[in-house]
Amino acid sequence: MSINSSSLDHSLTRRLAASLLAAAITLSTAAASLAADTVVLRVGDQKGGNRSLLEISGYAKDLPYKIEWSEFPAAAPILEALNAGALDVGYTGDLSFLSVYAAGAPIKAIGGTRSDAKTQAILVRQDSPIKSAADLRGKRLAGTRGGWGQFLIDATLEKAQIKLEDATFAPLGPVDAKIALVAGSIDAWAVWEPYVSYATLKDKARVIADGDGLTPTITFIVASDNAIATKRAAVQDLVQRLNKARLWSLDHVAEYATSTAELTRLPEDVLQSAYTAQRTSPIVIDENVLKEIQAASDRSTRYGILPKKLDVNQAVDRSFTAAAAGSN
């Protein structure tokens, strides 16, 4: 019996196609399985924040997980998103974090940075008659409610032996407060960098008090309880990369300012001034940090910023920075 060569070729072609299809399906299934196993961290950021720092410093390379970045205009909505379960990790000032934690948010501080306390300041217009904190009695003072701004105002008034009720607190975010100060509808503004450098360099504002000896000036990396429980390795790696990126920025201030200026459209000289003044460095959440934050928390409760006394130990997870310190 003779075999038709064209039939044989057709049969071989079909079998080869079937084999290739089976191999493709196997590879596709494996890829899908691998993708399903890839951890995704949902991280909240602000323009010119941690994402750009990681990318500029080179520590965003070769991530063993995927980051889904979400950009927010301020820290408050980052905390709201963490509380709602829409984010895994974010960052915010210490007292803003405690305000949300006190309200029952399922979050913990897992790392952070410290800046020079003098870079939190109370500003007045160049032509203001206010010369020092002693002149703040009876004045209208703006700052963020529940955060550094309100705390610095209250702590400064207390240090100057002025009763809190003898000045008016205007709860305004940085953008609105800047406009109000320039317009003269407020007398003074409590804020942080880079707003301090911008106001002093570009608007000729004057600093009449600062946070030295009054505020911890710590920015916390914050994670949801769920992310800590289910994505620990990825969260730990991110904390370590952010710490290393911060150390890089200390030795590359000019480069960091140039790159961030392009992203934020802020003047390069403002950013260089801010970064030089801040000297923002990573911290380990240790006993000394906890004592500082506890003292600030207790003062905030006394000022009415926090609704109740908190045990700061319960608001932090020290294992992340302890592990990061041990790995460096």
Side-chain angles (χ1 to χ4, degrees), residues 20-38:
L20 289 173
L21 179 60
I25 291 172
T26 300
L27 286 172
S28 176
T29 302
S33 175
L34 182 62
D37 292 336
T38 300

Side-chain angles (χ1 to χ4, degrees), residues 3 6 10 27 31 58-59 62 68 71 81 110-111 123 158 178 184 193 223 252 254 276 313 322-323:
I3 299 175
S6 64
H10 185 62
L27 286 172
Y59 286 104
D62 303 319
E68 287 184 355
E71 189 175 293
I110 61 169
L123 307 172
E158 184 176 56
K178 178 185 183 301
E193 292 287 6
H252 300 81
T276 300
N313 279 285

